[in-house]
Amino acid sequence: MPVDGLRVRDVEDTWGAPREGARDHAGQDIFAPPGTFVRSATPGVVWRIGNSTNGGNWVYVLGAGGRRYYYAHLGRVNRALREGQSVSTRTILGTVGNSGNASVTPAHLHFSVFTAYEPDASCRFLAINPLPLLRDR
C-alpha cells in the first residue's frame, strides 16, 4: 500500500472506469487527505520524476522484472528524491494531492503498474490492475 494510513480494503476499485476521450482508467485512484505521505510500493530505482498536463506531479519507480510503478497527481514530490536513486518500501516519494487533470477532484494518488514495453501501442507500456498486487503495510 503506497499511501500511509490506508489498508487495501479502503481502496475502491477504479480499474477500467470510463475516462474522458473514450479512455479507460489504467490504474487505481487511492483517496486520502492532501499531504498524506506516498511511499514506494516496492523496492526499486527512481526511473523518472516529472510533471505533465494529465498526471500533474509524478514519479516512476522501476521495480523487479522491469515493472514500472507510476505515482501521479502528487501534491509534492519529495525534494530529496533523485532519478537513479534506490528506494525501499519506506522511501517517501511525495504526498497525496490533486495536481494535473485531477485539479477538480478530491486529493488522491493515481497508482499504475506497467509491464511490457509496446512501442507501437497507443500507451507504450501495458498496464495491469495494481489492486490485486497491493498488500497492507
Side-chain angles (χ1 to χ4, degrees), residues 6-78:
L6 294 183
R7 300 177 82 56
V8 175
R9 70 174 180 252
D10 299 325
V11 179
E12 184 177 332
D13 189 356
T14 59
W15 175 260
R19 291 295 188 260
E20 186 178 316
R23 298 178 300 128
D24 290 334
H25 192 236
Q28 292 292 341
D29 288 338
I30 303 173
F31 293 88
T36 303
F37 286 144
V38 172
R39 297 178 190 270
S40 184
T42 185
V45 174
V46 176
W47 179 47
R48 303 219 22 225
I49 300 170
N51 182 284
S52 63
T53 302
N54 286 340
N57 301 317
W58 50 260
V59 173
Y60 271 102
V61 171
L62 180 61
R67 283 186 174 169
R68 287 159 178 83
Y69 297 81
Y70 177 61
Y71 306 81
H73 303 314
L74 297 171
R76 289 192 301 180
V77 172
N78 181 347

